[in-house]
Amino acid sequence: MTAGCATDEKQQADRPNIVFIMSDDHAYQAISAYGGSLAKLAPTPNIDRIARDGMRFNRCLVTNSICGPSRATILTGKYSHLNGFISNEKEPFNGNQQTFPKLLQKAGYQTALIGKWHLESRPTGFDHWEILPGQGNYYNPDFINGEDTTREIGYVTEIITRKSLTWIAGAKKNRKPFMLMIHHKAPHRSWEPGPNELGMYSDVMFPEPSTLFDDYANRGVAEHSQDMTISKTMTLETDLKLMKDSPLKNLTPEQTKAWKAVYDPIITKFFGSELTGDDLTRYKYQRYLQDYLACISAVDKSVGEVLDYLRKNGRDKNTLVIYTSDQGFYLGEHGWFDKRWMFEQSLRTPLLVMMPDRINPGSINNDMVSNLDFAETFLDIAGTEIPPDMQGMSLLPLLEGKRPGKWRTEHYYHYYEYPGWHSVKRHYGIATERYKLIHFYYDVDEWEMFDLEKDPDEMINVYDDPAYDVVKSKLHGQLDRLRKKYLDSDSSQQQFLPTVAMDVE
Ligand code: CA
């Protein structure tokens, strides 16, 4: 072996590992590192460790707030209209296209993906993958690995964690750096807590958001015609598990026993209470949060296990660990659960990143970043060229505290899944640091505009307020330029107009 080869090998081995942990539908409001009214009642101490030892991003915005499209954007560094996966119901993800895992593989990384995939086609660009079929099950989930499907007995979050640590242990023996995507199913609807978290919040009363009873006054057709309220859309049976004689169907007898021990008393009490109207909505909100936050508690423990494993095995110094969600989520704001809208709770997703020696502990970043930037960041960290057709920007300078003079101050958004689950109308728009301008185009053609400085809850549509005429005109110009920049247009929009209703969430 020549000296040159030895150096190359050493440099290869010195490149950072990447552990990308993504949950599904985890609201930033439910991460205690972000503060907020739930932080003390339902803390996430392990996820918070990433913020404590690394950087917390306060304004990470997604390009299209829905499961599959977010994943496709993360893999490709491109908007939905270019990567082709615009909504969950359309064509499967085209795995022949350029993705960051493929480029990392080419650069000598070992790559793996474990957990939820939700892109219909089989994963490409991974040396190893084990995925849940579709949404997967919380209890006793099936995993697809190549041609085989295997049922695992246990709780999905714990199984994904175990499989992930097993893969890292194997990767350790290899001199190549690795990139692992740990994709949790939790806390996706219908929020089934694991055996170790059952009932943990049964006696907690969570504060209600001030907009729980939003009546959508002065807003348009889109808000009035959606189907995602806690009061009307959320079901007592499946969502809130108030099923008298039939708990979840796929549990083992032992799991059923543990489940019933927690839920039977809740069910009895509920049916004795005869709640109606706003009282019923208030009750549903509490019940929803109890289960949702218990699912998150298992994810938090999983993050702790991964961090502990890396530290105990001396892998923490040279590993970039990211925690994020595929998008944000409503925890009763505007009376809603679910996501999809360009409003803050679903546009914004949590992003916490740590890497000792490279990111200053306790850093806080307020720049406008996006899941569009993840692919570019990973390639940059690996010292690999970022292809010019990727549309985001590497976050590495921000992570290292070397903020470029000019950083993004406007963000483009486009949501397509209508008609479909929850009936949220198609819309695109621009978010700046202070304003949002949103166009609900398909079958509505209405514009809305919000001033987040004066109206952080986004309750007052100021589009027709003459006081905002100058700002509005400027935003229209900015939005037009952004659409050109990202190669979105009325004609690209046209090709994605819906033909059939969807049946997946
Ligand atoms: Ca999701």
Side-chain angles (χ1 to χ4, degrees):
M1 186 190 287
T2 66
C5 272
T7 309
D8 282 354
E9 238 180 55
K10 170 140 184 26
Q11 279 169 349
Q12 291 262 355
D14 283 348
R15 287 183 301 169
N17 305 305
I18 298 166
V19 175
F20 177 81
I21 309 172
M22 182 164 75
S23 50
D24 193 335
D25 296 356
H26 191 171
Y28 61 86
Q29 309 92 294
I31 291 181
S32 43
Y34 282 105
S37 61
L38 303 175
K40 285 208 166 67
L41 294 167
T44 50
N46 293 297
I47 295 171
D48 291 5
R49 281 162 66 185
I50 304 179
R52 186 195 67 200
D53 296 343
M55 184 174 278
R56 182 185 90 205
F57 287 86
N58 282 342
R59 207 153 156 75
C60 180
L61 309 180
V62 299
T63 57
N64 182 357
S65 182
I66 184 82
C67 189
S70 167
R71 286 148 209 270
T73 289
I74 289 168
L75 290 170
T76 59
K78 292 178 184 173
Y79 273 90
S80 307
H81 60 280
L82 295 188
N83 68 45
F85 204 88
I86 62 155
S87 77
N88 285 339
E89 114 291 356
K90 288 277 180 179
E91 296 295 308
F93 179 70
N94 174 5
N96 293 324
Q97 66 186 302
Q98 167 186 283
T99 63
F100 88 83
K102 286 186 188 174
L103 295 170
L104 284 184
Q105 256 184 337
K106 214 182 263 178
Y109 270 66
Q110 315 170 68
T111 60
L113 166 86
I114 292 168
K116 184 165 171 182
W117 172 244
H118 208 216
L119 288 172
E120 309 293 328
S121 56
R122 293 295 161 94
T124 56
F126 297 97
D127 301 321
H128 177 83
W129 54 266
E130 288 177 82
I131 57 170
L132 300 166
Q135 295 284 3
N137 287 328
Y138 273 105
Y139 278 85
N140 312 325
D142 285 341
F143 279 85
I144 307 172
N145 175 7
E147 296 306 313
D148 300 325
T149 298
T150 317
R151 180 154 303 173
E152 307 259 351
I153 299 301
Y155 187 62
V156 70
T157 305
E158 294 167 6
I159 298 169
I160 288 171
T161 310
R162 194 178 67 229
K163 285 179 181 293
S164 298
L165 296 183
T166 303
W167 186 80
I168 297 177
K172 218 176 122 178
K173 295 178 193 119
N174 200 310
R175 286 183 65 90
K176 286 179 178 178
F178 67 80
M179 187 285 294
L180 169 63
M181 302 180 93
I182 305 175
H183 284 192
H184 287 293
K185 168 188 171 56
H188 191 279
R189 190 186 190 189
S190 45
W191 321 295
E192 296 169 19
N196 294 311
E197 291 80 29
L198 277 174
M200 67 183 287
Y201 295 122
S202 291
D203 300 321
V204 180
M205 278 294 284
F206 295 103
E208 291 169 6
S210 60
T211 60
L212 182 61
F213 295 99
D214 190 358
D215 62 1
Y216 318 115
N218 81 55
R219 275 149 292 158
V221 170
E223 287 89 339
H224 285 91
S225 61
Q226 46 70 34
D227 179 23
M228 54 184 273
T229 58
I230 290 176
S231 61
K232 291 199 181 77
T233 314
M234 185 176 276
T235 67
L236 293 172
E237 294 78 17
T238 316
D239 288 331
L240 302 182
K241 329 328 181 274
L242 299 168
M243 296 174 280
K244 268 183 174 164
D245 302 312
S246 57
L248 305 179
K249 287 190 175 63
N250 55 339
L251 307 197
T252 64
E254 193 191 341
Q255 290 164 345
T256 302
K257 199 174 155 201
W259 184 273
K260 283 174 72 64
V262 169
Y263 283 87
D264 280 358
I266 293 174
I267 293 167
T268 305
K269 198 170 165 194
F270 171 73
F271 284 102
S273 67
E274 298 181 350
L275 295 168
T276 55
D278 288 354
D279 290 340
L280 179 58
T281 301
R282 291 199 155 96
Y283 173 85
K284 289 171 83 175
Y285 166 76
Q286 295 296 335
R287 192 76 278 295
Y288 161 41
L289 257 64
Q290 286 167 7
D291 287 350
Y292 178 84
L293 294 167
C295 289
I296 286 168
S297 182
V299 173
D300 184 67
K301 283 176 200 162
S302 165
V303 170
E305 282 178 46
V306 173
L307 295 179
D308 289 346
Y309 181 91
L310 292 172
R311 198 181 51 209
K312 275 180 202 147
N313 290 278
R315 304 302 295 257
D316 55 327
K317 293 276 184 248
N318 201 31
T319 301
L320 182 84
V321 180
I322 296 103
Y323 185 83
T324 189
S325 168
D326 59 346
Q327 36 22 235
F329 211 68
Y330 294 91
L331 302 181
E333 299 88 355
H334 302 289
W336 294 334
F337 64 103
D338 210 69
K339 51 251 181 181
R340 301 162 199 274
W341 300 90
M342 203 185 153
F343 299 125
E344 207 61 6
Q345 288 82 10
S346 48
L347 176 67
R348 192 179 142 191
T349 200
L351 179 63
L352 310 161
V353 189
M354 70 183 268
M355 186 166 165
D357 300 338
R358 215 144 162 195
I359 304 172
N360 284 333
S363 313
I364 293 168
N365 182 289
N366 291 310
D367 291 312
M368 202 178 255
V369 304
S370 172
N371 59 351
L372 188 67
D373 303 327
F374 294 175
E376 295 82 342
T377 305
F378 301 147
L379 295 172
D380 202 10
I381 288 262
T384 301
E385 203 179 321
I386 301 167
D389 60 344
M390 286 192 173
Q391 297 180 299
M393 299 187 285
S394 168
L395 303 179
L396 188 56
L398 301 182
L399 291 168
E400 293 187 322
K402 300 172 198 155
R403 185 184 187 278
K406 269 195 167 185
W407 187 261
R408 179 192 292 128
T409 54
E410 48 189 29
H411 174 77
Y412 179 62
Y413 181 84
H414 196 156
Y415 171 79
Y416 301 80
E417 197 170 296
Y418 183 89
W421 279 83
H422 299 299
S423 293
V424 174
K425 302 276 189 190
R426 292 172 167 235
H427 58 288
Y428 64 83
I430 178 174
T432 66
E433 281 162 354
R434 176 165 174 183
Y435 300 103
K436 277 183 199 166
L437 175 68
I438 307 173
H439 186 204
F440 296 94
Y441 59 93
Y442 173 72
D443 83 2
V444 183
D445 195 17
E446 282 184 344
W447 290 85
E448 294 187 6
M449 186 174 147
F450 297 88
D451 179 347
L452 273 74
E453 195 175 291
K454 290 194 176 155
D455 173 32
D457 292 333
E458 300 170 296
M459 299 285 279
I460 306 160
N461 173 17
V462 295
Y463 190 77
D464 293 323
D465 182 343
Y468 285 92
D469 277 354
V470 175
V471 178
K472 179 166 79 182
S473 150
K474 192 176 167 214
L475 283 169
H476 270 292
Q478 284 175 280
L479 177 57
D480 287 346
R481 283 192 295 279
L482 270 188
R483 300 195 82 202
K484 283 198 184 83
K485 175 182 167 182
Y486 291 122
L487 310 171
D488 201 0
S489 64
D490 289 340
S491 55
S492 65
Q493 203 168 288
Q494 202 67 25
Q495 67 172 307
F496 293 125
L497 288 184
T499 49
V500 288
M502 311 72 177
D503 59 356
V504 286
E505 192 175 354

